[in-house]
Amino acid sequence: MRLSTKGRYGVKAMFDLALHGGETPLSLKTIAERQEISEPYLEQLIATLRKAGLVKSVRGAYGGYLLARHPEQITVGSIIRSLEGSIAPAECVSEMDPIECERAENCVTRILWEKIRISIDNVIDSITLQDMINDYDEMCGQDNMYYI
Amino acid sequence: MRLSTKGRYGVKAMFDLALHGGETPLSLKTIAERQEISEPYLEQLIATLRKAGLVKSVRGAYGGYLLARHPEQITVGSIIRSLEGSIAPAECVSEMDPIECERAENCVTRILWEKIRISIDNVIDSITLQDMINDYDEMCGQDNMYYI
DNA sequence: ATAATCTTGACAATTTTACTCGGGTATGCT
DNA sequence: AGCATACCCGAGTAAAATTGTCAAGATTAT
């Protein structure tokens, strides 16, 4: 059930954008260095995030990336799903296009996979980038002295 | 976040044992055919389950496998973990031996991964094979006419 | 113009998955 | 005893996924 680096790096990059980004775009290089992710690889991931409408790009010199919406309007669920596809533990309980099987017994295990999927959905769809920023602020104390 | 066939086949095989098994052992062949799993492959999986103490084996002619405990005492969590290892979405929040990272920011995403892991844990540790049998009985109606 | 940056697509190493195969060992039945 | 039926064990392997790298081009601030 491990998340691949796609989902993990993607969330880290988006969190970086939420924490350090603002009016002016952040370059890929900045994010990649701060989050210790290979720049060409992050390039791929952020291209996916852009197509999913989660970040906006600004081309040319001093360009970079911006969050497409406010941090409280971006759930980690939308980030993870855009990069990993469905988070369902089995194909037959995928959110979008479940490929059902015919066997009666399979349906019993199907109930199980669905319970797991719903439980994961509930968590990742209820947590936004703003929630993560709040967690971070709390972790660092009121003066935020450990901000990077 | 998809479960591999190990976990899925393992749960199916254990459910088969819970549903059809009794005093006399079920042969691997029987389970493999009924659940449509390659027999030599299931052999590997059930060997792991045996080492984890979830099933007992009876060697020789008319031998096979039995659940080591009653269905209400076997959680799907124990089955999945024995076959897949930790179900944590990231290594740093593994139940057993979390490999922590040093970076402050990582710890924010770590909080997220931990919330996901705990949510999955809660589901799979609360569901037993008996629960699945109950689901099955309910699905088939009181006369259980669709039992295989 | 030039440098910084995004954009795209192809390619490649490594790891994991999902098996197969071949030979053992134990046990009940005749 | 001998045979059939099973479990037991370790090695090997093809395909897929993961985790990237690389090169060439497009766009824009200065």
Side-chain angles (χ1 to χ4, degrees):
Chain A
M1 295 289 285
R2 198 158 73 238
L3 227 45
S4 76
T5 54
K6 285 183 193 170
R8 297 208 308 276
Y9 291 178
V11 170
K12 283 170 71 174
M14 290 292 284
F15 173 67
D16 194 85
L17 272 168
L19 191 60
H20 303 108
E23 306 290 310
T24 53
L26 288 182
S27 80
L28 205 58
K29 192 179 179 186
T30 306
I31 302 172
E33 280 175 358
R34 194 155 41 203
Q35 298 299 329
E36 289 175 342
I37 301 171
S38 137
E39 193 183 329
Y41 187 41
L42 184 55
E43 205 165 89
Q44 277 188 15
L45 306 185
I46 211 155
T48 305
L49 293 172
R50 186 176 57 82
K51 283 164 195 162
L54 294 170
V55 297
K56 286 182 296 188
S57 67
V58 179
R59 301 186 69 159
Y62 297 90
Y65 294 94
L66 297 164
L67 291 185
R69 299 193 298 277
H70 288 193
E72 64 266 25
Q73 293 170 327
I74 300 178
T75 65
V76 297
S78 62
I79 301 170
I80 293 175
R81 274 196 209 88
S82 71
L83 290 166
E84 305 253 352
S86 169
I87 50 85
E91 280 188 352
C92 62
V93 296
S94 175
E95 301 94 326
M96 346 285 193
D97 47 359
I99 303 168
E100 298 203 15
C101 38
E102 308 89 26
R103 313 184 66 246
E105 288 203 344
N106 276 352
C107 293
V108 182
T109 58
R110 190 170 166 275
I111 293 173
L112 174 63
W113 310 142
E114 191 133 46
K115 284 176 182 170
I116 295 174
R117 180 184 64 75
I118 289 171
S119 147
I120 300 174
D121 275 348
N122 283 341
V123 175
I124 66 178
D125 288 335
S126 70
I127 298 177
T128 68
L129 289 177
Q130 184 62 52
D131 293 326
M132 293 182 68
I133 292 177
N134 294 345
D135 282 349
Y136 186 70
D137 286 351
E138 212 166 295
M139 228 167 62
C140 296
Q142 289 172 343
D143 53 0
N144 294 336
M145 62 184 298
Y146 295 112
Y147 258 64
I148 296 177
Chain B
M1 295 289 286
R2 197 158 74 240
L3 227 46
S4 75
T5 54
K6 284 183 193 171
R8 298 207 308 276
Y9 291 178
V11 170
K12 284 170 72 174
M14 289 293 282
F15 173 68
D16 195 85
L17 272 168
L19 192 59
H20 303 108
E23 305 289 310
T24 54
L26 287 183
S27 79
L28 205 59
K29 193 180 177 184
T30 306
I31 302 172
E33 279 175 359
R34 193 155 41 204
Q35 299 299 329
E36 289 175 343
I37 301 171
S38 135
E39 193 182 329
Y41 187 43
L42 184 56
E43 201 167 273
Q44 277 188 14
L45 306 184
I46 211 156
T48 306
L49 294 171
R50 187 177 54 82
K51 283 164 195 160
L54 294 170
V55 297
K56 287 182 294 188
S57 66
V58 178
R59 301 187 67 160
Y62 297 89
Y65 293 94
L66 298 163
L67 291 184
R69 300 192 297 277
H70 288 192
E72 64 265 26
Q73 292 171 328
I74 300 179
T75 65
V76 296
S78 63
I79 300 169
I80 293 175
R81 275 197 208 86
S82 72
L83 289 166
E84 304 254 351
S86 169
I87 51 87
E91 279 189 352
C92 61
V93 295
S94 173
E95 300 95 326
M96 347 284 194
D97 45 0
I99 301 168
E100 297 203 14
C101 38
E102 308 89 25
R103 312 184 65 247
E105 289 203 342
N106 274 352
C107 293
V108 181
T109 56
R110 190 170 167 274
I111 293 173
L112 175 63
W113 310 142
E114 192 133 45
K115 284 175 182 169
I116 296 174
R117 180 184 63 75
I118 289 171
S119 146
I120 300 174
D121 276 348
N122 283 341
V123 175
I124 65 177
D125 288 335
S126 70
I127 298 176
T128 68
L129 290 177
Q130 185 61 52
D131 294 326
M132 293 181 68
I133 292 177
N134 294 345
D135 282 348
Y136 185 70
D137 286 351
E138 212 167 295
M139 231 167 61
C140 296
Q142 289 173 342
D143 52 1
N144 295 337
M145 62 182 298
Y146 296 112
Y147 259 66
I148 297 176

